Amino acid sequence: MKKDHVLKDFFSYPMRFADFMNALFFDGHAIIHPCDLHPLDSREIFIGDFLSKERTHDVIMMWERKDFQAI
């Protein structure tokens, strides 16, 4: 398994993703809770000039609270 796939699998778990983002942005305080995270489809398909290409991005999560949403 390639390194990128290992990290993508690791961060696809909301608990790990929330812990990392809290450490990175909120000095370790539990601001983002795993129950507020929802995975988004990370595939994009570009179509133009008779060309279609699928690209896969890293893990993308929607952070939803009753007062706002963030990606």
Side-chain angles (χ1 to χ4, degrees):
M1 200 178 224
K2 290 184 178 179
K3 180 172 49 172
D4 190 48
H5 294 289
V6 172
L7 289 175
K8 187 174 181 179
D9 289 343
F10 182 84
F11 284 115
S12 66
Y13 291 92
M15 176 71 109
R16 295 174 182 160
F17 190 90
D19 284 346
F20 181 74
M21 291 299 156
N22 284 325
L24 186 65
F25 294 114
F26 302 112
D27 199 30
H29 298 283
I31 305 298
I32 300 173
H33 300 283
C35 62
D36 296 334
L37 294 174
H38 309 286
L40 296 177
D41 187 9
S42 62
R43 292 175 291 152
E44 290 183 9
I45 298 174
F46 296 92
I47 300 173
D49 297 337
F50 306 104
L51 173 69
S52 66
K53 185 173 184 179
E54 183 175 313
R55 294 183 178 182
T56 304
H57 297 282
D58 291 329
V59 176
I60 302 173
M61 296 270 184
M62 170 71 79
W63 179 24
E64 281 189 285
R65 293 177 53 177
K66 68 178 185 179
D67 52 343
F68 71 91
Q69 293 177 334
I71 296 177

